[in-house]
Amino acid sequence: MEERIAIIGGGIAGLETASQLSKKGFDVVVLEKKQITGGHVEQWHQVFPDFRDASEVLKNWNQHEISGQIKIGIDITNINKTNGLFQIELRDGEQITANAVVIASGFDLFDAHKKEEYGYGIYDNVITSAELESFFNRKREYLIKSGKTPQRIGIIHCVGSRDEKVGNPYCSKVCCITGVKQAIELKEIYPQAEVFCFYMDLRMFGLNYEDIYKEAQEKYGIQFIRGRLSETSELQDGTVLLKVEDTLAGKPLKLSVDLVVLLVGMVKGSVNNELKKWLGIELDLFGFIKPPDAILQPNVTNVPGVFLAGACSSPKNIGDTVNDARSAVLAVEKYFNHLKG
Amino acid sequence: MAGWGYSLNKDRQIDFDANDRSVYFRVIGLEPSLGKCISCGSCSATCSSAVFTDLDIRKIFVLLSRGELRDLKKHLDDCMLCGKCILVCPRGVNTRNVILTIRKELEY
């Protein structure tokens, strides 16, 4: 086969797409913005539901499985479609020609500064779930800036998700289980600490998620308080006062914690607007890339030859992303079979 | 002062830091299945006593875990210990024994 497929993004969606397309004999080129592949997963410590090291998951995609190139540090400046060929222009002047493009550019994390009432960027001991992952990874000495061992930790669900105030009314899908996973990981490091999860609903939809939730309650004594965080304030000793309505007790509740972890949701990739401009693809209300038929053709766009894989079209967990990438490969194959008649 | 028509409202906020949660920890130590409660309310819905009294088993468990002990004793008296709540609990909480244990810990 002569067809060359450009894959935008070297996260797990892009790597899986590249790997599967290679096996089918396509020539692939992966274009990664960062200096390292693996996307967000490269930043995580352990992944749910089996608490496997994220690095071990990433080992699945070795470059030698991919016939073609993986280019890192790539900055795309324009993409043109002419006579059924895609011309991809890079910042360094290089041009890449491809017969099809698979967008696997993923998602961005919600910027927690936008929920200013939660104190992120204002108070020392308010961090995001992504920062907690990097703490787990680097085994940093202190989690609390003062060096204190945390006695109480509050994990806040739905930060930047299911929130019209910040323009994201959708559910990011992975934060509920991430919160429970991180609560367990925190209890393993600090067995004496009390860990509280503040939630509206717990959406434990995936395989074993409910078991992990139950284990968190039963084995680790993690406490779940149903009530969305309204506001935080910092007390003189550096602890953070949380105010929620305990909706199961029907009363307002206040509680001070040494550390607040904000479970930040997924938002559209920042490159989506440019991809729309260059390729003429459609975006949904929230800026994710919109397949014309999200149920039956989730990997196809309104532009022939442009395909979608992974979280660029909607929030997805790792398993869903891998499946979606494989599904994209089938769509690409079908496209070329059709072109050949 | 009489006749002014003003009064102070009682603080109804749960002050988690100030509350005494030791009873909760003792109860959960003696009946660990309480830890599995997901506050679904099946127990309260099936409760024969709840139809006629203020007994709300789900809420009692929540208030206990928050250290809100004020009204617990009064409501626990309404329980007939029939055990229907155990039969409907989807998480296998031994609800009747939780109630008996709370009563003991509150020194009935």
Side-chain angles (χ1 to χ4, degrees):
Chain A
M1 258 184 265
E2 302 290 313
E3 289 89 3
R4 187 167 214 223
I5 323 286
I7 297 165
I8 300 173
I12 56 168
L15 294 176
E16 179 65 12
T17 307
S19 159
Q20 298 295 338
L21 282 172
S22 296
K23 283 178 192 159
K24 289 184 176 292
F26 288 99
D27 177 22
V28 300
V29 56
V30 177
L31 306 173
E32 169 55 44
K33 174 176 66 181
K34 288 200 282 182
Q35 294 297 329
I36 187 166
T37 57
H40 290 277
V41 179
E42 196 271 323
Q43 308 279 317
W44 307 152
H45 172 54
Q46 297 182 121
V47 299
F48 57 80
D50 54 6
F51 289 80
R52 213 183 322 175
D53 278 353
S55 58
E56 197 190 306
V57 175
L58 279 178
K59 276 186 200 154
N60 177 57
W61 295 282
N62 292 326
Q63 197 177 341
H64 61 79
E65 279 187 20
I66 299 166
S67 67
Q69 291 172 288
I70 295 182
K71 291 171 166 282
I72 55 170
I74 292 299
D75 186 6
I76 300 173
T77 53
N78 196 14
I79 306 176
N80 271 314
K81 189 184 178 189
T82 38
N83 302 324
L85 280 181
F86 295 90
Q87 305 291 343
I88 303 169
E89 293 162 24
L90 308 185
R91 176 78 58 203
D92 62 9
E94 193 187 339
Q95 240 191 26
I96 292 167
T97 306
N99 303 83
V101 172
V102 178
I103 300 172
S105 47
F107 65 93
D108 285 355
L109 285 170
F110 174 71
D111 176 8
H113 290 97
K114 289 183 183 169
K115 287 294 285 180
E116 71 283 355
E117 61 270 44
Y118 289 179
Y120 179 73
I122 303 169
Y123 306 138
D124 282 347
N125 295 317
V126 180
I127 65 170
T128 66
S129 44
E131 286 162 352
L132 184 59
E133 287 293 317
S134 73
F135 165 78
F136 289 146
N137 261 339
R138 288 185 216 133
K139 309 266 185 299
R140 269 200 331 235
E141 204 177 343
Y142 299 123
L143 185 53
I144 309 286
K145 282 200 176 133
S146 64
K148 180 185 174 187
T149 301
Q151 297 299 311
R152 267 200 198 159
I153 299 166
I155 296 180
I156 314 299
H157 288 241
C158 289
V159 179
S161 303
R162 306 175 71 196
D163 187 351
E164 293 192 21
K165 185 196 156 185
V166 296
N168 301 337
Y170 54 85
C171 168
S172 291
K173 288 176 81 177
V174 301
C175 333
C176 277
I177 183 65
T178 300
V180 175
K181 176 196 83 100
Q182 292 189 331
I184 290 173
E185 290 168 321
L186 284 165
K187 279 295 271 188
E188 290 197 326
I189 302 175
Y190 307 109
Q192 300 308 316
E194 282 195 281
V195 181
F196 301 91
C197 288
F198 294 91
Y199 69 99
M200 291 200 292
D201 307 292
L202 289 167
R203 298 187 160 177
M204 297 295 160
F205 61 93
L207 182 70
N208 297 334
Y209 291 8
E210 189 72 19
D211 303 314
I212 298 169
Y213 168 35
K214 191 170 159 187
E215 197 183 14
Q217 287 182 297
E218 203 175 11
K219 184 174 165 195
Y220 293 93
I222 291 152
Q223 300 204 48
F224 293 84
I225 297 180
R226 197 182 77 182
R228 192 169 186 140
L229 179 65
S230 62
E231 57 176 315
T232 62
S233 48
E234 193 178 54
L235 303 178
Q236 272 191 329
D237 61 358
T239 58
V240 182
L241 186 73
L242 306 177
K243 279 181 161 184
V244 301
E245 190 207 0
D246 184 337
T247 58
L248 291 169
K251 289 177 177 181
L253 178 148
K254 64 176 177 182
L255 160 80
S256 65
V257 293
D258 297 310
L259 182 75
V260 181
V261 179
L262 306 177
L263 291 166
V264 283
M266 294 188 189
V267 300
K268 65 170 171 94
S270 52
V271 73
N272 289 8
N273 285 331
E274 285 170 306
L275 290 170
K276 179 187 173 179
K277 193 174 73 188
W278 298 331
L279 290 165
I281 51 171
E282 288 173 12
L283 305 184
D284 70 16
L285 268 177
F286 317 114
F288 288 95
I289 302 172
K290 185 183 176 184
D293 183 345
I295 294 175
L296 296 175
Q297 299 287 335
N299 307 100
V300 172
T301 67
N302 54 308
V303 181
V306 179
F307 301 89
L308 306 174
C312 62
S313 56
S314 69
K316 288 180 182 67
N317 62 21
I318 295 174
D320 286 349
T321 299
V322 172
N323 286 340
D324 199 57
R326 290 173 188 168
S327 165
V329 169
L330 290 177
V332 170
E333 199 177 32
K334 187 177 160 194
Y335 171 73
F336 284 113
N337 286 342
H338 183 74
L339 280 186
K340 284 175 197 157
Chain B
M1 296 289 280
W4 278 43
Y6 295 106
S7 64
L8 282 174
N9 286 355
K10 236 168 86 180
D11 186 351
R12 60 184 295 277
Q13 186 174 37
I14 300 175
D15 188 345
F16 206 91
D17 296 354
N19 278 0
D20 173 16
R21 292 162 65 237
S22 61
V23 180
Y24 169 67
F25 290 120
R26 286 205 300 278
V27 171
I28 205 167
L30 291 163
E31 183 48 68
S33 70
L34 173 60
K36 294 188 285 183
C37 175
I38 51 173
S39 287
C40 68
S42 299
C43 48
S44 301
T46 198
C47 178
S48 308
S49 193
V51 182
F52 303 104
T53 71
D54 290 335
L55 178 62
D56 183 340
I57 302 166
R58 174 195 65 74
K59 203 164 174 180
I60 282 173
F61 293 178
V62 170
L63 293 174
L64 176 73
S65 73
R66 313 292 192 252
E68 292 279 295
L69 306 177
R70 269 166 292 182
D71 302 324
L72 280 194
K73 198 172 160 180
K74 189 177 78 194
H75 292 317
L76 282 170
D77 282 341
D78 292 329
C79 173
M80 303 184 288
L81 300 173
C82 71
K84 270 179 82 187
C85 46
I86 305 175
L87 299 178
V88 295
C89 179
R91 276 282 179 111
V93 179
N94 188 341
T95 44
R96 179 167 53 190
N97 195 40
V98 175
I99 292 169
L100 282 168
T101 311
I102 301 171
R103 280 182 177 180
K104 259 186 238 164
E105 289 299 320
L106 290 175
E107 288 169 343
Y108 265 54

